[in-house]
Amino acid sequence: MCIKIVIYVAANLSSMFTILTGAQFGDEGKGKVIDLLAENYDVVVRFQGGDNAGHTVVVGGKKYKLHLVPSGAIFGRRLLIGPGVVLNPRVLWSEIQSLESEGIKVDIGIDAKTTIIMPYHIELDGLREKARTEKIGTTNRGIGFAYVDKIAREEVQMGDLTDQALLEAKLKEIGPAKEKAIADMGGDPTVVRYAPYIDEYLEIGKRLKDKVTDVSREINMALIEDKCVLAEGAQGAFLDVIHGTQKFVTSSFTTAGSACANLGVGPVMVDNVVGVIKAYITRVGEGPMPTELKDALGVMMREKGAEYGTTTGRARRCGWFDAVLGLKSVHLNGYTELALTKLDVLTGINPIKICVGYTLDGEELGYPPESTIDLARCKPIYEDMPGWTEDITEVKEYDDLPANARAYVERLEDLLYIEPLDNCISAVSVGPGREQTIFRDEPEE
Ligand code: GDP
Ligand code: IMO
Ligand code: MG
């Protein structure tokens, strides 16, 4: 629980609507923070993305890797998947089964308008990526092509899976264009109307039928009934399809403002916006990352931070904390507080560098350029901070962190400039476990 949220709950101030997003390129540790926060919430809802996400929750040494089921699952909260998500029913079904086999009851609702990822979306994703001379490095989950169909109004929705006649009629209408697209790219068009998968999807639809719901209504009713709702973002600010590093982005809107539009909740209902930010930076897939370390130090960060993709297993690229991107992320999301993760990974590195500006064509920049091509040409300007060597993974109180670790956290606060400035990094994570989290300033009794 981030500290301002604790104060809010402790003061018993009616309902609360919190949006949480990734502040960098994804994999910031959102799963861990959402699991922790979920204790204080009644409902946890995913609002965008699909099973390209991989959110890790570690409880009592047991690791759960969640792709679609919201990370409030382990606390047994009401879980929702909003209509802005693109949903692979096979993945959702197997995730529910796997959690239930571990004794976790999954109380989930899926919006009837949620776009379904069909096997042909995955086929198209693979074919397109293969044909690109300059790759994006997608997760090959069919995300982009499922969103294309949503915008083109040629989607299959969750509600269609519960009705055989509806699904067959839809496939009859949109099937031929998909078959042509796949054939044109040299793929196998029979995937579009392959009977065994249609039967499987209908079977999953039957099993999920009583979970289909109106997510906007549920959330608004929960807030009216003084309940607390946490919106779980996937990916991160710079993978946003509008504000990110195009074309090296995902196909959804990953910043906080998107939660309201995707969930059907008015913006005035938002109480706080939490950013999850890593103490350094990582990226998986292609695209610019000015502070990337291509040397032994980058490899060391990857190994120490276990920086391998939760969804694809790919090695994540690692680099120094980029406060220039960080500042833009604060603006894009309107964060009211931050949870800083993986500070423990920096233990033993000296000095620790923070990127405080860029040079581009002989000019100094304090804010990222809009163009992705220009961002790729930026050279970081670094500031050195002294490191620490003490093991911090068992530290529980902020004041017990080594002085240099505190100085690092507080320097990031200065650079990211969230008002009020004191303790805007309200939680510091020093390990993957729930208990490895330090909260700043306990609330007054
Ligand atoms: P998400 O996509 O933002 O939920 O992040 P991922 O789960 O993909 O990746 C974050 C990884 O870091 C997971 O393996 C977490 O268990 C782990 N993790 C989270 N916080 C910490 C931390 O403070 N320290 C360390 N060492 N690992 C952490
Ligand atoms: P979480 O929620 C990190 C990246 C992919 C690729 C680009 C486009 O775990 O933080 P896509 O399959 O979405 O079309 O791929 O986006 N990407 C992620 N990187 N974390 C994620 O999710 C990601 N989801 C997509 O690697 O570069
Ligand atoms: Mg992840």
Side-chain angles (χ1 to χ4, degrees):
M1 52 236 118
C2 294
I3 219 65
K4 287 166 203 153
I5 291 170
V6 176
I7 294 167
Y8 212 96
V9 173
N12 203 10
L13 289 173
S14 62
S15 66
M16 179 167 57
F17 181 40
T18 301
I19 301 169
L20 178 146
T21 63
Q24 294 157 321
F25 292 105
D27 302 326
E28 298 88 350
K30 298 177 291 296
K32 164 172 173 164
V33 179
I34 290 158
D35 166 68
L36 267 174
L37 290 178
E39 191 174 9
N40 297 291
Y41 289 79
D42 302 285
V43 180
V44 182
V45 56
R46 269 284 300 274
F47 61 90
Q48 44 70 233
D51 63 309
N52 49 351
H55 296 177
T56 316
V57 176
V58 180
V59 180
K62 173 137 192 53
K63 193 184 266 193
Y64 302 89
K65 291 181 178 185
L66 303 170
H67 301 286
L68 281 167
V69 171
S71 305
I74 322 302
F75 264 118
R77 295 303 179 235
R78 173 68 175 158
L79 308 171
L80 293 172
I81 294 184
V85 167
V86 286
L87 178 95
N88 182 323
R90 281 178 180 152
V91 174
L92 178 64
W93 183 250
S94 82
E95 219 165 282
I96 294 173
Q97 295 301 101
S98 141
L99 286 165
E100 298 212 314
S101 73
E102 313 247 11
I104 294 162
K105 175 101 196 62
V106 181
D107 174 19
I108 197 163
I110 306 143
D111 196 279
K113 289 197 172 89
T114 307
T115 301
I116 297 299
I117 297 184
M118 305 296 281
Y120 51 81
H121 293 132
I122 300 169
E123 179 78 7
L124 285 163
D125 193 355
L127 288 167
R128 187 71 196 95
E129 186 70 1
K130 213 158 105 195
R132 282 193 182 101
T133 40
E134 187 185 40
K135 312 270 180 225
I136 293 175
T138 75
T139 57
N140 201 23
R141 297 296 190 270
I143 305 296
F145 285 87
Y147 277 118
V148 164
D149 278 0
K150 186 184 214 36
I151 302 301
R153 294 154 296 181
E154 292 190 351
E155 64 185 325
V156 172
Q157 298 183 339
M158 185 63 216
D160 302 327
L161 290 196
T162 60
D163 183 325
Q164 181 165 2
L166 260 183
L167 181 62
E168 282 171 359
K170 269 235 164 121
L171 284 176
K172 198 168 167 203
E173 187 196 331
I174 62 185
K178 303 293 156 215
E179 282 160 356
K180 183 169 183 323
I182 290 175
D184 286 352
M185 282 200 249
D188 174 11
T190 60
V191 71
V192 178
R193 281 183 277 187
Y194 184 60
Y197 100 69
I198 296 173
D199 292 346
E200 187 192 343
Y201 269 41
L202 285 168
E203 180 55 35
I204 298 175
K206 212 186 287 169
R207 292 184 202 150
L208 293 176
K209 190 168 182 168
D210 63 344
K211 301 186 187 302
V212 177
T213 188
D214 177 339
V215 163
S216 166
R217 179 157 197 261
E218 267 207 44
I219 296 176
N220 281 288
M221 289 311 292
L223 295 174
I224 288 166
E225 288 164 10
D226 286 349
K227 292 185 175 159
C228 295
V229 178
L230 175 59
E232 168 172 352
Q235 290 80 51
F238 299 104
L239 293 177
D240 182 271
V241 71
I242 295 181
H243 300 286
T245 55
Q246 284 87 339
K247 68 182 187 186
F248 308 99
V249 290
T250 190
S251 297
S252 68
F253 310 103
T254 63
T255 57
S258 138
C260 288
N262 278 327
L263 294 174
V265 183
V268 293
M269 303 304 281
V270 180
D271 293 293
N272 31 37
V273 185
V274 178
V276 183
I277 195 157
K278 222 176 254 190
Y280 48 100
I281 200 163
T282 62
R283 175 164 205 164
V284 56
E286 305 305 317
M289 180 173 148
T291 59
E292 180 169 11
L293 286 165
K294 293 185 175 160
D295 56 7
L297 195 52
V299 174
M300 192 269 247
M301 273 184 192
R302 178 185 306 142
E303 295 311 318
K304 202 161 165 213
E307 296 294 358
Y308 290 90
T310 314
T311 302
T312 58
R314 287 177 293 174
R316 296 175 184 152
R317 300 151 63 193
C318 298
W320 297 116
F321 189 93
D322 186 333
V324 184
L325 286 179
L327 182 61
K328 177 156 178 157
S329 187
V330 168
H331 293 173
L332 291 175
N333 287 282
Y335 290 132
T336 54
E337 60 190 287
L338 294 172
L340 182 75
T341 59
K342 303 192 100 158
L343 187 65
D344 53 302
V345 176
L346 297 182
T347 299
I349 300 177
N350 193 19
I352 300 172
K353 291 185 186 291
I354 303 174
C355 169
V356 295
Y358 299 144
T359 52
L360 179 67
D361 298 329
E363 257 186 70
E364 286 195 10
L365 306 180
Y367 208 72
E370 265 293 84
S371 140
T372 300
I373 293 170
D374 285 345
L375 182 65
R377 295 194 303 118
C378 282
K379 300 275 172 268
I381 302 170
Y382 288 119
E383 185 177 288
D384 283 1
M385 297 289 292
W388 60 91
T389 53
E390 300 91 324
D391 177 4
I392 60 170
T393 57
E394 300 296 323
V395 172
K396 305 284 178 238
E397 300 290 332
Y398 184 71
D399 288 342
D400 293 338
L401 281 173
N404 287 349
R406 277 182 279 129
Y408 182 72
V409 173
E410 287 157 33
R411 183 65 186 132
L412 298 188
E413 284 186 322
D414 292 342
L415 292 164
L416 297 175
Y417 210 81
I418 297 172
E419 301 238 40
L421 295 181
D422 275 353
N423 297 4
C424 71
I425 294 181
S426 53
V428 179
S429 172
V430 291
R434 242 184 213 169
E435 63 297 343
Q436 292 175 295
T437 317
I438 300 165
F439 300 107
R440 311 278 294 281
D441 283 353
E442 285 298 322
E444 306 265 312
E445 286 293 313

